């Protein structure tokens, strides 16, 4: 619904909440377009359901501070409501539940979920522990920590591991080479002018290679397990 409201409407919603006329403009637009694209002129229940739930979700969102959590909850709620409305209207709710049960009863599904879970948390913690001594060496004698955005390294590492694992599960091994090259261009300088810069480059390189090696090993193991359970 990003295209159905301007930034001004969003700002007014956050400023005035339920009293903002822009909230009702947006809800009316959502309901009207739902009714038009549904094409079932005798069926007003679904558009009304979408309008009411959309209003409640946006009302709640307008009362929250801007944050990633609020955004994710807001968008997830909208998607679930659309899925619920579609399943009831098309009378396929039972089929969706049966399909979900079938998917999550397969061992391969849980193997993939566990693999992604490993890349997100345990691997990040392990790499942080292994490289901790070099991080202490970099900050020795300096009360300041390594410069840079807060937790940027954690997010970069987590994202790259998810991408690598996805490439391996898709059997796109060559794409990993492009990822390594792209990261090298952005993270490493061709000329190292000081001992401190050399240490920082080596520290980043160690973490990167550990991240890549662990994820590639995990991906190969995951593919092997999927082959066994297929």
């Amino acid at each position: 619904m990003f295209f159905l409201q301007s930034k001004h409407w969003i700002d007014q919603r956050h400023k005035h909440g339920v009293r903002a006329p822009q909230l009702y403009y947006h809800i009316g637009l959502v309901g009207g377009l739902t009714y038009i694209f549904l094409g079932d002129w005798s069926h007003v229940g679904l558009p009304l359901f979408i309008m009411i739930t959309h209003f409640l979700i946006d009302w709640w969102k307008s009362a929250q501070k801007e944050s990633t959590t609020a955004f994710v909850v807001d968008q997830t709620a909208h998607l679930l409501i659309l899925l619920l409305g579609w399943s009831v209207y098309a009378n396929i709710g039972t089929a969706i539940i049966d399909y979900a049960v079938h998917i999550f009863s397969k061992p391969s599904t849980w193997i993939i979920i566990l693999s992604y879970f490993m890349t997100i948390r345990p691997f990040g913690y392990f790499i942080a522990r292994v490289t901790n001594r070099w991080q202490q060496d970099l900050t020795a004698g300096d009360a300041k920590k390594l410069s840079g955005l807060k937790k940027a390294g954690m997010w970069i590492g987590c994202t790259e591991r998810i991408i690598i694992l996805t490439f391996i599960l898709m059997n796109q091994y060559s794409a990993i080479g492009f990822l390594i090259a792209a990261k090298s261009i952005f993270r490493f300088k061709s000329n190292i002018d000081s001992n401190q810069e050399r240490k920082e480059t080596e520290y980043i390189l160690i973490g990167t290679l550990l991240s890549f090696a662990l994820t590639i090993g995990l991906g190969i193991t995951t593919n092997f397990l999927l082959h066994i359970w297929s």
Side-chain angles (χ1 to χ4, degrees), residues 1-14 21-23 25-27 29 58 66:
M1 301 301 177
F2 292 100
F3 301 104
L4 302 183
Q5 57 184 334
S6 64
K7 187 178 184 303
H8 173 70
W9 284 15
I10 297 174
D11 291 340
Q12 290 300 306
R13 281 171 39 201
H14 281 287
Q22 290 79 7
L23 174 61
Y25 299 159
H26 175 61
I27 298 304
L29 191 58
D58 281 9
E66 289 290 342

Side-chain angles (χ1 to χ4, degrees), residues 94 130 195:
T94 303
V130 171
N195 186 51

Side-chain angles (χ1 to χ4, degrees), residues 21 44 65 78 86 111-112 116 120 130 133 135 139 142 161 165 176 182 186 222:
V44 297
K65 293 182 179 179
H78 283 311
W86 168 65
I111 290 173
I112 294 174
Y116 277 103
I120 293 172
V130 171
R133 53 179 173 174
Q135 183 177 15
T139 56
D142 188 354
R161 289 191 294 274
L165 180 59
I176 299 175
F186 285 109
T222 301

Side-chain angles (χ1 to χ4, degrees), residues 8-66:
H8 173 70
W9 284 15
I10 297 174
D11 291 340
Q12 290 300 306
R13 281 171 39 201
H14 281 287
K15 183 176 181 180
H16 301 290
V18 72
R19 296 175 298 171
Q22 290 79 7
L23 174 61
Y24 300 95
Y25 299 159
H26 175 61
I27 298 304
L29 191 58
V30 168
L33 289 178
T34 301
Y35 183 66
I36 292 172
F37 285 109
L38 184 63
D40 187 352
W41 311 120
S42 62
H43 195 294
V44 297
L46 181 58
L48 284 175
F49 172 73
I50 297 297
M51 285 180 63
I52 293 171
T53 54
H54 202 97
F55 171 79
L56 294 174
I57 294 170
D58 281 9
W59 184 12
W60 171 84
K61 177 64 165 53
S62 300
Q64 307 302 311
K65 293 182 179 179
E66 289 290 342

Side-chain angles (χ1 to χ4, degrees), residues 65 85 92 98 202 210 230:
K65 293 182 179 179
I92 58 173
D98 290 342
E202 290 175 346
L210 274 174
S230 61

Side-chain angles (χ1 to χ4, degrees), residues 136-144:
Q136 291 179 353
D137 184 36
L138 282 172
T139 56
D142 188 354
K144 296 182 179 179

Side-chain angles (χ1 to χ4, degrees), residues 123 127 160-161 164 168 176 180 206-221:
F123 279 7
I127 293 170
E160 74 185 12
R161 289 191 294 274
I164 292 170
I168 294 176
I176 299 175
I180 295 174
I206 291 171
T208 297
L209 292 179
L210 274 174
S211 181
F212 275 62
L214 288 170
T215 311
I216 291 172
L218 175 65
I220 293 173
T221 303

Side-chain angles (χ1 to χ4, degrees), residues 34 38 43 46 49-50 78-100:
T34 301
L38 184 63
H43 195 294
L46 181 58
F49 172 73
I50 297 297
H78 283 311
L79 289 174
L80 290 176
I81 287 298
L82 291 174
L83 179 61
L84 176 62
W86 168 65
S87 64
V88 172
Y89 175 77
N91 196 26
I92 58 173
T94 303
I96 292 177
I97 294 174
D98 290 342
Y99 180 74

